[in-house]
Amino acid sequence: MIVYILGHVMTIVAALMVLPFIVGLIYREPECIWFLAVLLGAGLIGLALRSLKSEDTVFYLKEGCVATGLSWIIMSLIGALPFFLSGAIPNFVNALFETVSGFTTTGASVIDDVEALSHCMLFWRSFTHWIGGMGILVFLLAIISMTGGSQMNLMRAESPGPSVGKLVPKARHTAMILYMIYTALTVTMILILVLGGMPFFDSVCTAFGTAGTGGFGVKASSMADYAPFLQWVVTIFMILFGVNFNAYYLLLLKKFKQAFGMDEVRWYLGIILVAIAIIVLDLRKISASFGTNLRDAAFQVGSIITTTGFSTVNFDLWPSLSKTLLVVLMFIGACAGSTGGGIKVSRIVAVLKAGLNELHMYVHPKSVRKARLDGKALDESSMRSILVYFAFFIIIFAVSVIVVSLDGQDLITNFTAVAATINNIGPGLSLVGPIKNYDLFSDLSKFVLMFDMLAGRLELFPLVLLFYPETWKSLSGKVRK
């Protein structure tokens, strides 16, 4: 069944390469032939793997995690081939880094001159964000039918957040609804950008980067060269794509009270407003223009907390307080159930409420009170899952910083490089700031950062399970389910 899923993933990625191939034909770019070659090769192998479907179609969460982890690795390898074979990125490790960064919606780049890339390569680079934003397996669930709880096990393994539930009784219909909302928001953004004066090609690529909260742009200056109106449009949509998509579904059902009453959404918007206010005040030290400060602060706060990674200014030159606040926002991240990365607001809120509840228990030992989120009590299983996530996150983060430090870069560069990749943001500070890139790292460090990007996007466990020997013993039948 895992091989069967991988076959589907390969054929989907191959089919999606038709779009950059068409873009190459429109702009008469010879490099597009490599998309055709890769899609034919990957498509044929994918079709062969799909023919190996097992009679046993039972699919547990364990299999869902393994299938998800392997799917993201395989689609990254396939997605890197056009960059490498065309010579757009002649080093395969760099091509793979750029592709992993794209699919995981990180936006960390190793390319010095983005504008030198052909239209078809720029399109594919941004399109990987859109594909990875909602998830390739969520898309798979929307177009194929699977039995029993297999669908939800795949969705739980790939979807961002501490918990995933169905919007409607069938998981397949849930996946379809999510992609319909995702596509509608993307198309709306493209139309507004075009009406605002942005070229159509730029609008499509920018919308892909915003929708997937990825941050790959078509200009070396990211969003700095676009008009203030367009920067505000991108700011608003970055924040919208960082909202839990369940809220949009509730709005469609006209359940406004439930949508606006979600604790996570209110905290998310509150954190954004407070962060903007603090940074606007702090920027008065270097600029007297309130309007410019407000626009830059709103854009960068929206970009960092949603883990998009676009930039309008070199925020590495901002005062220390503003930079520190942006680093904190890197870890907080967007809402669960959005296309954003980071630890997620819901986890932060849950831990804060559990901590306050623990303090209350010290003062009133005989009282019985449980931490609540959206009116529901946080049970021991949910809290254990969140705390284990934090433990793994800290361990992976610490080990990554230590390994990356072998390259000899300064602490701020190493710390923010790992923070920006494991939280799927892209730009960090110092040598990996918004006007720099990640090409300075060794191949070993790049593989560590690629692991961090994949782990961050997949909520750690689907990727970590691939390195846990007991997983493979269980799958091979040596350990009873």
Side-chain angles (χ1 to χ4, degrees), residues 61 156 161-164 343 347 350-351 378-393 459-461:
L61 182 59
R156 286 194 183 100
S163 63
V164 178
I343 292 174
R347 285 195 181 98
V351 170
L378 290 167
D379 56 32
E380 290 184 10
S381 176
S382 298
M383 286 308 305
R384 184 181 70 251
S385 175
I386 291 172
L387 294 175
V388 170
Y389 173 90
F390 270 99
F392 269 90
F393 185 95
E459 302 286 305
L460 307 185
F461 298 110

Side-chain angles (χ1 to χ4, degrees), residues 59-141:
F59 211 71
Y60 299 101
L61 182 59
K62 169 187 59 185
E63 287 88 348
C65 287
V66 172
T68 299
L70 292 177
S71 293
W72 280 72
I73 292 172
I74 287 174
M75 73 180 191
S76 296
L77 290 168
I78 296 171
L81 290 176
F83 288 128
F84 175 66
L85 296 173
S86 68
I89 306 178
N91 181 297
F92 184 73
V93 174
N94 282 352
L96 183 61
F97 185 96
E98 197 79 10
T99 309
V100 171
S101 181
F103 279 127
T104 59
T105 72
T106 303
S109 182
V110 292
I111 300 175
D112 290 319
D113 189 3
V114 172
E115 294 171 46
L117 294 177
S118 60
H119 288 84
C120 60
M121 293 298 164
L122 284 173
F123 180 89
W124 177 242
R125 187 169 173 263
S126 295
F127 191 38
T128 55
H129 282 333
W130 197 85
I131 296 169
M134 187 58 67
I136 192 73
L137 294 178
V138 174
F139 180 74
L140 176 63
L141 293 178

Side-chain angles (χ1 to χ4, degrees), residues 399-472:
V399 172
S400 297
V401 171
I402 291 170
V403 176
V404 170
S405 297
L406 295 173
D407 284 355
Q409 311 300 339
D410 62 274
L411 177 61
I412 294 177
T413 296
N414 297 331
F415 184 90
T416 59
V418 174
T421 49
I422 197 170
N423 292 306
N424 303 133
I425 293 158
L429 298 175
S430 191
L431 298 179
V432 290
I435 62 171
K436 305 288 180 65
N437 62 49
Y438 285 71
D439 196 33
L440 69 142
F441 289 111
S442 66
D443 286 351
L444 172 62
S445 292
K446 285 173 184 172
F447 276 110
V448 170
L449 296 175
M450 280 189 269
F451 175 89
D452 290 343
M453 287 188 273
L454 287 165
R457 172 59 183 83
L458 300 178
E459 302 286 305
L460 307 185
F461 298 110
L463 197 65
V464 172
L465 272 174
L466 297 181
F467 298 89
Y468 182 51
E470 203 71 19
T471 303
W472 302 102

Side-chain angles (χ1 to χ4, degrees), residues 304-315:
I304 296 299
I305 195 170
T306 62
T307 71
T308 304
F310 280 134
S311 62
T312 54
V313 293
N314 183 7
F315 53 79

